């Protein structure tokens, strides 16, 4: 069973959670760690500028007991001059893993973006072999569409990415607000 945690913008006091993401390989894990970027100054400047919510890339906190324990992100991906979709990602702190939090967050980001944007497609790119992340995307309603061969550089080599997506028309319509 997936645990669905509340989502909200990050508070300044929670920026150390994102610092851990940038500076601790264990936080992102073997499939997402791409090396030391560690630019916490830029992250803090961005938080001061737009609270990590912008048309280019956005991030909300996953919250347990009023504290950030992870994040969900989304960014636009253009397919042509008039069509775009959202590419999403979720991470949770290592101490939160194994509770279904990532699966719940994956579905929460899909529901959030379909409720608050006009998006027709939401996709996730998951490194081939990352079975846990792929299952989370599938539990969010995404289906495997194919593999982008050699699409991501990590750990000294090019890695294949599984492309998963869900269309607005794949999910039941939301309940009417009366």
């Amino acid at each position: 069973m997936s645990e669905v945690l509340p989502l909200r913008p990050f508070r300044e006091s929670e920026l150390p959670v994102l610092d851990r993401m940038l500076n601790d390989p264990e936080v992102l894990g073997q499939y997402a760690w791409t090396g030391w970027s560690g630019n916490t100054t830029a992250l803090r400047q961005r938080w001061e500028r737009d609270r990590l919510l912008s048309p280019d890339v956005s991030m909300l906190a996953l919250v347990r007991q009023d504290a950030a324990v992870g994040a969900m992100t989304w960014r636009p991906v253009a397919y042509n001059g008039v069509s775009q979709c959202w590419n999403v990602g979720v991470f949770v702190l290592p101490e939160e893993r194994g509770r279904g939090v990532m699966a719940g967050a994956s579905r929460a980001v899909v529901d959030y973006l379909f409720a608050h944007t006009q998006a027709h497609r939401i996709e996730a790119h998951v490194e081939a072999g990352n079975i846990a992340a792929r299952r989370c995307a599938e539990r969010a309603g995404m289906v495997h569409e194919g593999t982008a061969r050699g699409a991501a550089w990590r750990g000294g080599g090019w890695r294949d990415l599984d492309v998963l997506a869900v269309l607005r028309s794949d999910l039941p319509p939301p309940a009417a607000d009366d």
Side-chain angles (χ1 to χ4, degrees):
M1 183 87 172
S2 299
E3 182 179 3
V4 180
L5 297 179
L7 305 169
R8 65 164 162 69
F10 274 89
R11 296 175 179 157
E12 185 173 20
S13 63
E14 296 167 330
L15 294 181
V17 170
L18 299 178
D19 291 344
R20 278 184 69 193
M21 180 183 75
L22 292 171
N23 294 298
D24 183 348
E26 296 301 316
V27 171
L28 289 182
Q30 72 175 16
Y31 292 104
W33 178 253
T34 57
W36 302 103
S37 59
N39 196 345
T40 57
T41 300
L43 179 73
R44 288 172 186 283
Q45 289 171 343
R46 173 136 186 261
W47 183 85
E48 289 173 7
R49 183 177 64 251
D50 62 19
R51 299 301 189 253
L52 305 176
L53 297 167
S54 78
D56 298 322
V57 63
S58 292
M59 184 180 302
L60 288 176
L62 298 169
V63 179
R64 179 185 304 285
Q65 297 176 351
D66 205 35
V69 297
M72 61 175 233
T73 65
W74 66 95
R75 63 181 174 81
V77 174
Y79 277 96
N80 64 26
V82 296
S83 304
Q84 76 173 28
C85 74
W86 295 111
N87 181 281
V88 298
V90 175
F91 91 88
V92 296
L93 295 173
E95 54 271 23
E96 292 292 323
R97 294 182 187 147
R99 300 182 189 192
V101 172
M102 283 190 71
S106 297
R107 183 52 191 251
V109 70
V110 167
D111 292 344
Y112 176 84
L113 290 171
F114 281 150
H116 299 287
T117 73
Q118 295 180 12
H120 178 66
R121 174 187 173 86
I122 298 171
E123 64 183 27
H125 299 162
V126 175
E127 186 172 317
N130 188 344
I131 295 166
R134 181 167 168 172
R135 283 188 185 142
C136 289
E138 289 169 342
R139 288 169 66 188
M142 295 186 184
V143 296
H144 183 256
E145 297 181 328
T147 301
R149 296 179 307 126
W153 178 264
R154 183 187 61 75
W158 289 102
R159 312 296 174 139
D160 294 347
L161 295 178
D162 290 330
V163 178
L164 297 100
V166 60
L167 303 180
R168 184 182 293 270
S169 57
D170 292 340
L171 300 177
D177 291 336
D178 291 325

